[in-house]
Amino acid sequence: MIKKRVSIKDIARLAGVSSPTVSRALHGRGRISDLTRTRIIEIANQVGYTPSLVARGLVTQRSYCVGLIVPTFADPFHSQVAQGVEEAARRHHYSIFLASTDVDPVREVEIARTFHGRQVDGIIVSASRVGNRYADWLDETGMPMVLINPHIISDQVHSIYHDDYKGGCHLMQHLLARGYRRIAYIGNERGARPSVERQRAWFESMQAAGLQPEVTVNGPNGRFNGGIMAAEQLLAKADTCWHAPPDAIFCYNDTMAISAMAVLRAHGLQTPADVAVTGFDDIDVAEFLDPPLTTLRQPRQQMGAQALQILLALIEQTPNVCVPQATAMNGELIVRGST
């Protein structure tokens, strides 16, 4: 037998007050005595009252759901971003629909359209491959949207991104200050803007130090297998250019850095005694490696939470956030044993 759902009318009957009074008490709105409010909340808790989001949506014309699109579930970076979004959403009584594109721009757009069809109140996309191509669709649908670390920064769509160039420069300044001179770069050919900006930081920092930025290889992706392939090619390229291994490697992300360290061990090279290694992101496992990984910590959860705050302001149509803007955030250099 299906148990009947407790309603506001049931609570009103038990408390001996009107339904509007119960509604004001539960939502913290309107003039009502503290004693009455406390008594109503206690009764609601005792009878196991759960607000109906369907009924709430009929009144407010909202679903109280937000769509979150990530490129892959395998990258710890995006799980941390998702955690930031989810925690902020929970504080505002929103639910999250989560989907992965498998790094496919076509699928990203399909998911966004599906979320729109599901009548979510807004959409957040992490590491969007589509970027400013959303502009026309947003004009057409009126769907609030915020992009996190998009691969193209656009003034047509709200976005939050990490300043990868500045972060990369911090890493390079650290390596140069430690005396490393044969510094190589491992990139991600699918990394788009973040990889380009990190590689630019490496390239320009080497030039500014009077060094030749000769050795760089892009892996086919930013995952472990991509890192292994890139590191093997990098060692061969370094032998051709320098007739020696690099004395430091700046990697696109922590996952590729972990792969690079494994390849170095397989070649009989120790980190950092023979080759220092840095990552980027500061995923949870980075500090537990042997040696622990020096990296640039992105404020992943804060980026997710900030994206949700902007999205809610767009949903509420707050005037001062209606004009699309790109918000840059800065990370933190975390120095550990790998350098």
Side-chain angles (χ1 to χ4, degrees):
M1 182 178 177
I2 299 176
K3 187 176 180 181
K4 181 184 176 183
R5 185 186 187 97
V6 177
S7 69
I8 283 180
K9 289 183 178 179
D10 295 325
I11 299 173
R13 178 175 49 80
L14 292 170
V17 297
S18 67
S19 294
T21 299
V22 173
S23 181
R24 289 195 296 270
L26 295 178
H27 293 97
R29 303 191 187 101
R31 299 182 63 180
I32 182 175
S33 71
D34 290 340
L35 180 62
T36 300
R37 188 189 310 277
T38 300
R39 184 162 61 88
I40 289 172
I41 292 174
E42 287 178 351
I43 292 172
N45 290 334
Q46 289 170 3
V47 298
Y49 170 74
T50 302
S52 170
L53 294 180
V54 174
R56 186 183 178 194
L58 289 173
V59 175
T60 62
Q61 297 298 300
R62 294 183 190 170
S63 65
Y64 292 92
C65 292
V66 167
L68 173 59
I69 305 174
V70 299
T72 173
F73 295 131
D75 190 334
F77 172 85
H78 298 293
S79 66
Q80 291 288 308
V81 168
Q83 184 176 346
V85 173
E86 197 277 332
E87 289 178 354
R90 188 170 62 245
R91 290 194 298 270
H92 291 87
H93 309 292
Y94 268 78
S95 298
I96 300 294
F97 289 159
L98 178 63
S100 166
T101 69
D102 198 25
V103 201
D104 181 350
V106 174
R107 177 159 170 73
E108 180 183 321
V109 175
E110 290 175 349
I111 293 172
R113 293 187 181 278
T114 298
F115 280 162
H116 178 250
R118 295 282 183 180
Q119 297 184 325
V120 298
D121 293 335
I123 298 174
I124 295 173
V125 188
S126 183
S128 170
R129 257 60 178 183
V130 179
N132 58 359
R133 286 165 52 194
Y134 279 121
D136 291 341
W137 183 70
L138 297 179
D139 286 340
E140 173 191 334
T141 63
M143 173 62 66
M145 175 177 280
V146 179
L147 309 182
I148 300 175
N149 267 359
H151 286 211
I152 300 174
I153 300 297
S154 168
D155 60 1
Q156 298 175 289
V157 184
H158 283 274
S159 64
I160 293 177
Y161 68 96
H162 178 263
D163 191 333
D164 294 288
Y165 176 77
K166 186 175 181 180
C169 288
H170 283 167
L171 276 172
M172 286 299 297
Q173 289 164 9
H174 165 71
L175 292 174
L176 291 167
R178 289 285 174 96
Y180 299 113
R181 291 297 179 266
R182 296 191 311 275
I183 306 173
Y185 178 78
I186 288 180
N188 171 14
E189 68 180 26
R190 302 179 75 178
R193 180 195 59 81
S195 188
V196 169
E197 290 297 282
R198 295 169 198 180
Q199 185 169 7
R200 183 166 72 91
W202 163 77
F203 186 89
E204 293 182 1
S205 295
M206 291 285 282
Q207 285 191 321
L211 303 171
Q212 289 296 319
E214 298 178 278
V215 180
T216 177
V217 172
N218 282 330
N221 56 60
R223 302 173 185 174
F224 290 113
N225 64 327
I228 289 172
M229 294 171 64
E232 291 284 2
Q233 294 174 34
L234 190 83
L235 290 180
K237 190 171 183 179
D239 187 58
T240 300
C241 293
W242 291 327
H243 306 293
D247 56 16
I249 303 175
F250 172 4
C251 298
Y252 165 76
N253 64 11
D254 293 345
T255 304
M256 299 186 90
I258 294 169
S259 298
M261 290 167 68
V263 170
L264 291 172
R265 284 195 298 272
H267 283 262
L269 298 170
Q270 296 183 345
T271 301
D274 299 312
V275 184
V277 176
T278 72
F280 209 103
D281 292 342
D282 194 30
I283 61 177
D284 289 343
V285 72
E287 65 178 309
F288 301 109
L289 299 172
D290 184 17
L293 183 64
T294 292
T295 186
L296 199 290
R297 176 182 292 162
Q298 291 199 62
R300 304 176 299 274
Q301 292 191 33
Q302 295 94 317
M303 292 169 74
Q306 181 68 14
L308 193 281
Q309 292 291 344
I310 293 175
L311 189 68
L312 292 181
L314 291 172
I315 293 170
E316 297 284 349
Q317 297 184 335
T318 305
N320 63 346
V321 297
C322 288
V323 178
Q325 55 186 305
T327 303
M329 300 185 74
N330 294 316
E332 177 186 3
L333 176 64
I334 305 298
V335 178
R336 299 193 180 103
S338 68
T339 57

